[in-house]
Amino acid sequence: MDTLLIEKHVKYIQSLGENTDDLMYHMTAHLRLNAIYWGLTALCIMGRPDALVKEDVIEFVMSCWDDDEGAFGAHPGHDAHILPTLSAIQILTIYDALDRADTKRIVTWVAARQNPTGSFSGDQWGETDTRFAYIAVQALELLGRLDAIDKDKAVAHINRCKNFDGGFGATEGAESHAGQIFVCTAALAILDRLEDIDQPTLAWWLAERQLPNGGLNGRPEKLEDVCYSFWVLSALSILHKLKWIDSEALVKFILSAQDPDGGGVADRPGDMVDVFHTCFGICGLSLLGYPGVHEINPIYCLPADVTRKKGLHMDYEVLGKDET
Amino acid sequence: MSHGVKRTREAADVLAARREKERSKLQAYLELTDDVVARKRAAVFTQECFDLTTKLLGLNPELSSVWNYRRLILLNALFPNLSPEGTFSLLQSELNFTTGALKQYPKTYWIWNHRRWCLAKVPPGPEGAPVEKSWKRQVWARELFIVERMLDADARNFHAWNYRRYVLASDPGLRSPEDELAYTKKKIEASFSNFSAWHQRSKVYSALWEEGVSEDEVRQVKDAEFELVQQALYTDPGDQSAWLYHRWLIGNGDDTAVLKREIANIEELLAIEPDSKWCLESLVHYKRLLAARSQPDEAAQLSDLKKECNTMLSKLQTIDPKRKARYQELVL
Ligand SMILES: [Zn+2]
């Protein structure tokens, strides 16, 4: 497998909504809106944004609206949470259909998730995580209302989650983890505070995620996984240090995790594929300058043409593209 | 999101047979979810609804809305009729319910969240009882026991480490910093590559030193820590966990005596392991720290340090080609 099997992956993503007689399909309802965002983003990067029926998708997104709360749940009938709320906003942004949602209420709801310490909760029940800070910051920026939160407090909280190795954890005191590093780095990029990062140390730590087989892990002495390709790569891209890893070896690793028959990408070669790893594997290839795929903006994990049109942050590195 | 599940190709007839077998299971699952969602929407809070959430969450603990509904039932229907003793006992059975779920799904955020919510609801217990007998102490001690069993099963589970830090912060009387240092040491000695334990150890010391400890004391502690790291480095010089901790101990290298001693120690290890990437990488970093701290009258030393770093960086480009571009950038 030395090429990206675009046709297979497009078919795989299109087929995801057709498995309604499969138990697994229903057991993952709590990720439905996220899954649509992952699928749509992967399709855009493969140059096939029209492979899903736009009106059907928008209608489904709107059916996940939780009118009691004023934000989105992951599935019709599910409670609002900040995770699916961002997916909904991202999908509507890609389709240029934000006018379909009650964005005023969403802004109020998202801003209300900020705690007095500056951290963010996922919903009214209060779990905090730096992922939610990133989600809130991105959601509000997409809605043009970053002014609705206390930005300095948000930055201060992210900085308190920073560790001596340059990385970030989920909460104060937590170990550095590539996923949390991605969200903290991207949030600081949106908040124009990248200078708060110890960049040489963090970029070094990120480069040390690459293992002999070319894949990337998410923490020291752990196994490789395709989804880390994106978390590590996007942070390196925002820091303009993509060249600090062996891109050829990583491209090979991602391609080897494809399912050559049914399409889709898995966490590791030979494993079951899913739309999450399919999206992040393909987005990783995009940052590595893989030929024939469109550009992803790693700060938002949205197609670059979408973020360009909206005048959002575009300062990141893509291999094989002249740096500006 | 699936992790570590081997791909199998099902022939069309096998798939059809599996779906046929699953059909009644699927039907029952969908009926149950529809029923629970409808009751929740109608704001029905009864014991019967509570039992349905138990059944549904047993099938799928990822349904955060159902956990939310369960808490609403507890708050609106079950707690109000209970004495503090009754509330405590109900919360204990809630905790047991999530313990069972965590055994099967140790990485599901919602289960951990529900546990934290339950703990915040535990009543203070009989008045006048000594701390050791209070209900709070009882539950936190049990939490610590459970989360440490989970770390025995998977020493790197970051959910469990985060949860453990939260337990210790919630009842500071449970473990002294000395106990905590002993715990992390036990974990480290069981596996030097357990970076989660090294990380926790760095946090315990940082907190202790923030409280105001003399420089001498810090130096003494660090000397003992350097010895512990040394053991790990000699056991496996390719394991990055201990090297990261070593870097934390050195910090910005202001203590040049320690910096020079450690450089000499690593050079000794390098003599045994001449192709050790981590020896070279660390020596470059530490020698650059030393160079940045050299005095104006040490120009000769500075130029030597630069040369040594550049030699090591070109060797690193050969032995660690994946990160070649970084080493090239660092050449002075
Ligand atoms: Zn993964």
Side-chain angles (χ1 to χ4, degrees):
Chain A
M1 267 182 297
D2 46 7
T3 53
L4 181 65
L5 306 167
I6 290 187
E7 275 319 308
K8 298 256 181 193
H9 300 322
V10 171
K11 277 219 184 79
Y12 165 71
I13 293 169
Q14 285 175 320
S15 76
L16 287 171
E18 295 161 5
N19 301 325
T20 53
D21 53 351
D22 200 285
L23 182 60
M24 218 33 224
Y25 173 84
H26 297 282
M27 291 292 276
T28 53
H30 60 283
L31 288 172
R32 191 72 71 239
L33 215 44
N34 308 61
I36 294 173
Y37 154 72
W38 294 324
L40 178 59
T41 302
L43 289 169
C44 290
I45 300 308
M46 291 188 291
R48 297 290 301 278
D50 300 326
L52 299 178
V53 183
K54 176 176 166 179
E55 257 321 302
D56 292 356
V57 174
I58 294 175
E59 205 176 296
F60 181 79
V61 169
M62 295 315 298
S63 74
C64 295
W65 176 252
D66 176 351
D67 200 46
D68 296 333
E69 285 277 322
F72 290 93
H75 188 270
H78 287 208
D79 291 349
H81 193 279
I82 205 163
L83 286 159
T85 296
L86 177 63
S87 294
I89 295 172
Q90 288 174 313
I91 296 166
L92 295 176
T93 300
I94 292 173
Y95 281 141
D96 196 13
L98 273 173
D99 57 338
R100 301 281 280 271
D102 188 342
T103 53
K104 252 194 195 149
R105 282 192 74 192
I106 301 175
V107 168
T108 309
W109 188 89
V110 171
R113 303 280 74 79
Q114 189 170 30
N115 301 304
T117 58
S119 70
F120 284 83
S121 298
D123 61 16
Q124 53 158 323
W125 296 97
E127 179 198 10
T128 67
D129 188 312
T130 44
R131 285 180 303 151
F132 305 149
Y134 166 65
I135 288 173
V137 163
Q138 169 169 180
L140 291 174
E141 163 123 310
L142 291 178
L143 299 174
R145 286 298 314 277
L146 209 44
D147 61 299
I149 51 160
D150 188 328
K151 287 187 267 184
D152 288 337
K153 269 193 169 177
V155 170
H157 178 260
I158 292 173
N159 281 332
R160 286 200 299 277
C161 297
K162 186 162 41 181
N163 293 312
F164 77 86
D165 50 28
F168 296 86
T171 51
E172 286 178 55
E175 181 185 348
S176 297
H177 178 290
Q180 311 293 151
I181 290 170
F182 157 67
V183 293
C184 291
T185 306
L188 290 173
I190 295 173
L191 293 162
D192 292 314
R193 291 288 289 272
L194 282 177
E195 70 271 18
D196 289 12
I197 295 177
D198 178 356
Q199 298 195 18
T201 307
L202 178 55
W204 162 66
W205 188 93
L206 290 165
E208 293 298 344
R209 296 307 103 238
Q210 190 163 37
L211 297 169
N213 68 1
L216 307 178
N217 63 14
R219 288 186 285 159
E221 305 302 325
K222 296 276 287 177
L223 288 175
E224 70 285 351
D225 180 338
V226 161
C227 61
Y228 293 121
S229 307
F230 188 74
W231 315 133
V232 173
L233 282 180
S234 52
L236 282 172
S237 160
I238 295 168
L239 301 176
H240 292 263
K241 291 290 184 220
L242 279 176
K243 294 186 187 74
W244 281 18
I245 58 159
D246 182 343
S247 58
E248 229 172 275
L250 179 54
V251 166
K252 238 189 212 158
F253 173 75
I254 297 174
L255 293 177
S256 72
Q258 299 179 100
D259 178 348
D261 304 312
V265 181
D267 60 342
R268 254 169 243 142
D271 278 0
M272 280 272 281
V273 302
D274 60 55
V275 67
F276 171 82
H277 289 94
T278 303
C279 174
F280 294 116
I282 292 169
C283 289
L285 292 175
S286 165
L287 289 176
L288 295 170
Y290 189 85
V293 298
H294 290 235
E295 187 177 318
I296 185 81
N297 180 334
I299 302 171
Y300 308 89
C301 195
L302 283 173
D305 50 3
V306 171
T307 60
R308 194 173 292 114
K309 234 189 317 189
K310 285 187 70 90
L312 302 174
H313 288 76
M314 299 291 295
D315 183 15
Y316 54 85
E317 180 186 24
V318 175
L319 289 183
K321 189 183 151 198
D322 285 332
E323 288 234 15
T324 44
Chain B
M1 281 178 263
S2 95
H3 284 113
V5 185
K6 282 275 157 275
R7 184 159 72 228
T8 48
R9 179 102 12 243
E10 276 178 315
D13 56 330
V14 178
L15 176 70
R18 177 170 65 83
R19 289 205 169 146
E20 185 55 43
K21 230 176 87 190
E22 275 179 5
R23 188 179 309 232
S24 61
K25 224 168 137 187
L26 171 61
Q27 208 52 41
Y29 176 77
L30 289 178
E31 273 166 26
L32 181 58
T33 35
D34 287 350
D35 188 13
V36 170
V37 167
R39 286 164 186 261
K40 177 169 176 292
R41 195 167 277 161
V44 187
F45 303 126
T46 61
Q47 181 69 45
E48 193 196 355
C49 301
F50 186 79
D51 296 339
L52 288 175
T53 66
T54 307
K55 198 171 161 194
L56 183 49
L57 291 168
L59 295 171
N60 188 357
E62 294 280 4
L63 295 166
S64 61
S65 303
V66 180
W67 287 110
N68 296 347
Y69 181 35
R70 188 176 179 87
R71 286 189 285 272
L72 289 174
I73 301 170
L74 284 166
L75 288 172
N76 289 294
L78 305 185
F79 289 159
N81 304 318
L82 290 172
S83 63
E85 284 79 7
T87 304
F88 184 40
S89 128
L90 179 54
L91 284 168
Q92 281 179 314
S93 80
E94 269 314 87
L95 290 169
N96 287 340
F97 175 56
T98 57
T99 308
L102 279 175
K103 276 191 190 134
Q104 214 181 337
Y105 309 94
K107 293 185 176 173
T108 295
Y109 286 94
W110 316 113
I111 309 176
W112 292 103
N113 294 346
H114 187 67
R115 227 179 152 83
R116 290 183 190 226
W117 181 86
C118 292
L119 290 161
K121 292 285 171 211
V122 171
E127 239 173 276
V131 182
E132 302 77 49
K133 293 260 154 63
S134 71
W135 291 352
K136 292 259 179 197
R137 172 56 58 87
Q138 267 182 52
V139 290
W140 289 119
R142 196 174 136 71
E143 288 311 291
L144 194 58
F145 176 82
I146 291 171
V147 78
E148 289 183 356
R149 293 297 78 72
M150 293 195 69
L151 284 173
D152 290 342
D154 175 3
R156 298 298 304 278
N157 181 343
F158 70 86
H159 294 270
W161 278 103
N162 289 348
Y163 189 78
R164 197 172 165 285
R165 272 183 287 271
Y166 143 83
V167 170
L168 293 177
S170 302
D171 188 351
L174 219 46
R175 284 273 173 91
S176 66
E178 289 71 30
D179 294 336
E180 189 55 4
L181 290 170
Y183 181 77
T184 53
K185 194 167 185 180
K186 192 178 84 182
K187 285 287 175 206
I188 289 166
E189 284 174 343
S191 163
F192 283 134
S193 60
N194 185 347
F195 182 72
S196 305
W198 290 107
H199 164 86
Q200 173 68 357
R201 198 167 174 81
S202 79
K203 293 287 172 187
V204 177
Y205 276 128
S206 299
L208 273 175
W209 295 339
E210 259 172 43
E211 285 168 14
V213 181
S214 74
E215 263 179 51
D216 256 4
E217 261 176 274
V218 173
R219 188 170 304 135
Q220 267 179 23
V221 170
K222 279 197 175 180
D223 281 348
E225 291 302 294
F226 276 118
E227 270 175 45
L228 176 66
V229 186
Q230 188 99 339
Q231 280 180 46
L233 300 183
Y234 271 83
T235 307
D236 179 4
D239 187 328
Q240 41 181 284
S241 306
W243 287 107
L244 285 165
Y245 189 73
H246 191 275
R247 200 166 282 207
W248 173 71
L249 287 173
I250 293 282
N252 54 16
D254 282 340
D255 190 337
T256 46
V258 168
L259 187 55
K260 283 178 183 162
R261 182 193 70 201
E262 288 305 308
I263 287 175
N265 282 342
I266 299 171
E267 280 173 337
E268 243 173 71
L269 179 54
L270 182 67
I272 310 167
E273 304 268 350
D275 283 336
S276 160
K277 167 217 159 142
W278 282 93
C279 279
L280 291 164
E281 158 70 38
S282 305
L283 282 173
V284 168
H285 182 71
Y286 296 147
K287 289 198 176 189
R288 286 161 67 107
L289 285 182
L290 193 60
R293 272 151 194 79
S294 65
Q295 303 300 316
D297 59 344
E298 296 172 318
Q301 190 205 331
L302 187 63
S303 138
D304 284 351
L305 284 171
K306 252 190 201 172
K307 254 187 249 154
E308 287 163 28
C309 286
N310 289 347
T311 311
M312 289 190 286
L313 285 166
S314 60
K315 178 153 188 190
L316 278 164
Q317 290 174 43
T318 333
I319 61 174
D320 185 23
K322 286 202 160 55
R323 281 157 282 265
K324 191 174 175 187
R326 175 168 173 265
Y327 302 127
Q328 278 169 343
E329 256 183 64
L330 292 180
V331 171
L332 287 171

